[in-house]
mmCIF file of all heavy atoms in Angstrom:
data_model
loop_
_atom_site.group_PDB
_atom_site.id
_atom_site.type_symbol
_atom_site.label_atom_id
_atom_site.label_comp_id
_atom_site.label_asym_id
_atom_site.label_seq_id
_atom_site.Cartn_x
_atom_site.Cartn_y
_atom_site.Cartn_z
ATOM 1 N N LYS A 106 130.064 106.107 127.368
ATOM 2 C CA LYS A 106 129.103 105.080 127.762
ATOM 3 C C LYS A 106 127.900 105.714 128.454
ATOM 4 O O LYS A 106 126.748 105.369 128.180
ATOM 5 C CB LYS A 106 129.779 104.070 128.678
ATOM 6 C CG LYS A 106 128.926 102.885 129.045
ATOM 7 C CD LYS A 106 129.727 101.893 129.880
ATOM 8 C CE LYS A 106 128.895 100.709 130.277
ATOM 9 N NZ LYS A 106 129.644 99.762 131.105
ATOM 10 N N ALA A 114 117.935 106.015 127.108
ATOM 11 C CA ALA A 114 116.874 106.268 128.084
ATOM 12 C C ALA A 114 115.903 107.327 127.565
ATOM 13 O O ALA A 114 114.694 107.241 127.813
ATOM 14 C CB ALA A 114 117.476 106.701 129.416
ATOM 15 N N ARG A 116 114.967 107.687 124.570
ATOM 16 C CA ARG A 116 114.114 107.007 123.600
ATOM 17 C C ARG A 116 113.241 105.938 124.255
ATOM 18 O O ARG A 116 112.487 105.262 123.584
ATOM 19 C CB ARG A 116 114.973 106.351 122.520
ATOM 20 C CG ARG A 116 115.676 107.373 121.648
ATOM 21 C CD ARG A 116 116.662 106.772 120.684
ATOM 22 N NE ARG A 116 116.097 105.730 119.862
ATOM 23 C CZ ARG A 116 116.817 104.821 119.222
ATOM 24 N NH1 ARG A 116 118.128 104.836 119.305
ATOM 25 N NH2 ARG A 116 116.233 103.892 118.502
ATOM 26 N N ILE A 118 114.423 103.290 126.011
ATOM 27 C CA ILE A 118 115.070 101.987 125.893
ATOM 28 C C ILE A 118 115.957 101.774 127.107
ATOM 29 O O ILE A 118 116.775 102.626 127.449
ATOM 30 C CB ILE A 118 115.914 101.905 124.598
ATOM 31 C CG1 ILE A 118 115.014 102.123 123.383
ATOM 32 C CG2 ILE A 118 116.652 100.576 124.518
ATOM 33 C CD1 ILE A 118 115.775 102.291 122.093
ATOM 34 N N ALA A 137 114.703 93.243 118.433
ATOM 35 C CA ALA A 137 115.103 94.472 119.123
ATOM 36 C C ALA A 137 115.372 95.592 118.119
ATOM 37 O O ALA A 137 115.004 96.747 118.347
ATOM 38 C CB ALA A 137 116.342 94.207 119.978
ATOM 39 N N ARG A 142 114.154 100.916 115.912
ATOM 40 C CA ARG A 142 114.555 101.699 114.746
ATOM 41 C C ARG A 142 113.892 103.075 114.792
ATOM 42 O O ARG A 142 112.821 103.258 115.360
ATOM 43 C CB ARG A 142 114.224 100.964 113.449
ATOM 44 C CG ARG A 142 112.770 100.710 113.235
ATOM 45 C CD ARG A 142 112.554 99.852 112.020
ATOM 46 N NE ARG A 142 111.130 99.568 111.860
ATOM 47 C CZ ARG A 142 110.641 98.778 110.949
ATOM 48 N NH1 ARG A 142 111.458 98.182 110.113
ATOM 49 N NH2 ARG A 142 109.359 98.565 110.860
ATOM 50 N N ALA A 152 107.015 93.005 116.386
ATOM 51 C CA ALA A 152 108.433 92.802 116.056
ATOM 52 C C ALA A 152 108.824 91.343 116.260
ATOM 53 O O ALA A 152 109.538 90.762 115.430
ATOM 54 C CB ALA A 152 109.306 93.704 116.924
ATOM 55 N N ILE A 180 93.931 87.036 84.148
ATOM 56 C CA ILE A 180 92.995 88.162 84.202
ATOM 57 C C ILE A 180 93.638 89.409 83.622
ATOM 58 O O ILE A 180 93.008 90.150 82.849
ATOM 59 C CB ILE A 180 92.528 88.392 85.662
ATOM 60 C CG1 ILE A 180 91.613 87.246 86.100
ATOM 61 C CG2 ILE A 180 91.806 89.720 85.804
ATOM 62 C CD1 ILE A 180 91.295 87.256 87.574
ATOM 63 N N ARG A 187 91.369 93.029 75.969
ATOM 64 C CA ARG A 187 90.124 93.788 75.822
ATOM 65 C C ARG A 187 90.415 95.270 75.626
ATOM 66 O O ARG A 187 89.703 95.960 74.891
ATOM 67 C CB ARG A 187 89.229 93.552 77.033
ATOM 68 C CG ARG A 187 88.660 92.149 77.007
ATOM 69 C CD ARG A 187 87.741 91.880 78.151
ATOM 70 N NE ARG A 187 87.234 90.525 78.038
ATOM 71 C CZ ARG A 187 87.087 89.707 79.032
ATOM 72 N NH1 ARG A 187 87.376 90.112 80.250
ATOM 73 N NH2 ARG A 187 86.625 88.498 78.846
ATOM 74 N N VAL A 191 89.195 97.637 72.560
ATOM 75 C CA VAL A 191 88.546 98.936 72.751
ATOM 76 C C VAL A 191 89.279 100.016 71.960
ATOM 77 O O VAL A 191 88.652 100.857 71.298
ATOM 78 C CB VAL A 191 88.472 99.293 74.257
ATOM 79 C CG1 VAL A 191 88.074 100.735 74.470
ATOM 80 C CG2 VAL A 191 87.520 98.359 74.974
ATOM 81 N N LEU A 200 87.605 106.533 62.227
ATOM 82 C CA LEU A 200 87.683 106.415 60.769
ATOM 83 C C LEU A 200 86.295 106.416 60.143
ATOM 84 O O LEU A 200 86.077 107.036 59.092
ATOM 85 C CB LEU A 200 88.446 105.149 60.382
ATOM 86 C CG LEU A 200 89.935 105.134 60.715
ATOM 87 C CD1 LEU A 200 90.537 103.769 60.409
ATOM 88 C CD2 LEU A 200 90.659 106.227 59.961
ATOM 89 N N ALA A 207 82.591 112.622 54.854
ATOM 90 C CA ALA A 207 82.962 112.758 53.444
ATOM 91 C C ALA A 207 81.836 112.314 52.520
ATOM 92 O O ALA A 207 81.688 112.836 51.413
ATOM 93 C CB ALA A 207 84.223 111.970 53.163
ATOM 94 N N GLN A 208 81.035 111.374 52.925
ATOM 95 C CA GLN A 208 79.994 110.821 52.055
ATOM 96 C C GLN A 208 78.633 110.906 52.744
ATOM 97 O O GLN A 208 77.931 109.912 52.893
ATOM 98 C CB GLN A 208 80.317 109.367 51.730
ATOM 99 C CG GLN A 208 81.656 109.189 51.071
ATOM 100 C CD GLN A 208 82.005 107.711 50.925
ATOM 101 O OE1 GLN A 208 81.312 106.848 51.397
ATOM 102 N NE2 GLN A 208 83.113 107.456 50.243
ATOM 103 N N LYS A 219 75.995 102.602 60.128
ATOM 104 C CA LYS A 219 75.685 101.298 60.712
ATOM 105 C C LYS A 219 76.956 100.631 61.243
ATOM 106 O O LYS A 219 76.951 100.038 62.333
ATOM 107 C CB LYS A 219 75.003 100.409 59.681
ATOM 108 C CG LYS A 219 74.598 99.061 60.236
ATOM 109 C CD LYS A 219 73.605 98.386 59.353
ATOM 110 C CE LYS A 219 73.233 97.004 59.789
ATOM 111 N NZ LYS A 219 73.127 96.738 61.155
ATOM 112 N N ALA A 224 80.384 99.098 65.706
ATOM 113 C CA ALA A 224 81.665 99.258 66.407
ATOM 114 C C ALA A 224 81.440 99.797 67.813
ATOM 115 O O ALA A 224 82.103 99.372 68.761
ATOM 116 C CB ALA A 224 82.589 100.188 65.617
ATOM 117 N N GLU A 236 85.956 96.265 82.180
ATOM 118 C CA GLU A 236 85.600 96.702 83.535
ATOM 119 C C GLU A 236 85.381 95.502 84.441
ATOM 120 O O GLU A 236 85.772 95.520 85.608
ATOM 121 C CB GLU A 236 84.352 97.581 83.487
ATOM 122 C CG GLU A 236 84.608 98.956 82.904
ATOM 123 C CD GLU A 236 83.331 99.758 82.710
ATOM 124 O OE1 GLU A 236 82.223 99.196 82.849
ATOM 125 O OE2 GLU A 236 83.460 100.958 82.412
ATOM 126 N N ALA A 240 87.453 94.666 87.736
ATOM 127 C CA ALA A 240 86.766 94.401 89.003
ATOM 128 C C ALA A 240 87.228 93.075 89.580
ATOM 129 O O ALA A 240 87.421 92.950 90.803
ATOM 130 C CB ALA A 240 85.260 94.400 88.795
ATOM 131 N N GLY A 253 94.797 86.857 100.562
ATOM 132 C CA GLY A 253 94.798 88.227 100.058
ATOM 133 C C GLY A 253 96.182 88.821 100.064
ATOM 134 O O GLY A 253 96.595 89.494 99.120
ATOM 135 N N ARG A 254 96.913 88.607 101.131
ATOM 136 C CA ARG A 254 98.286 89.137 101.187
ATOM 137 C C ARG A 254 99.163 88.499 100.132
ATOM 138 O O ARG A 254 100.002 89.158 99.529
ATOM 139 C CB ARG A 254 98.879 88.925 102.583
ATOM 140 C CG ARG A 254 98.255 89.845 103.606
ATOM 141 C CD ARG A 254 98.935 89.720 104.911
ATOM 142 N NE ARG A 254 98.282 90.595 105.888
ATOM 143 C CZ ARG A 254 98.717 90.800 107.081
ATOM 144 N NH1 ARG A 254 99.825 90.234 107.489
ATOM 145 N NH2 ARG A 254 98.061 91.585 107.908
#
Side-chain angles (χ1 to χ4, degrees):
K106 186 176 179 181
R116 292 173 53 199
I118 300 170
R142 62 186 178 185
I180 290 170
R187 288 182 179 139
V191 168
L200 292 174
Q208 302 173 354
K219 183 163 176 37
E236 288 173 350
R254 288 186 182 187

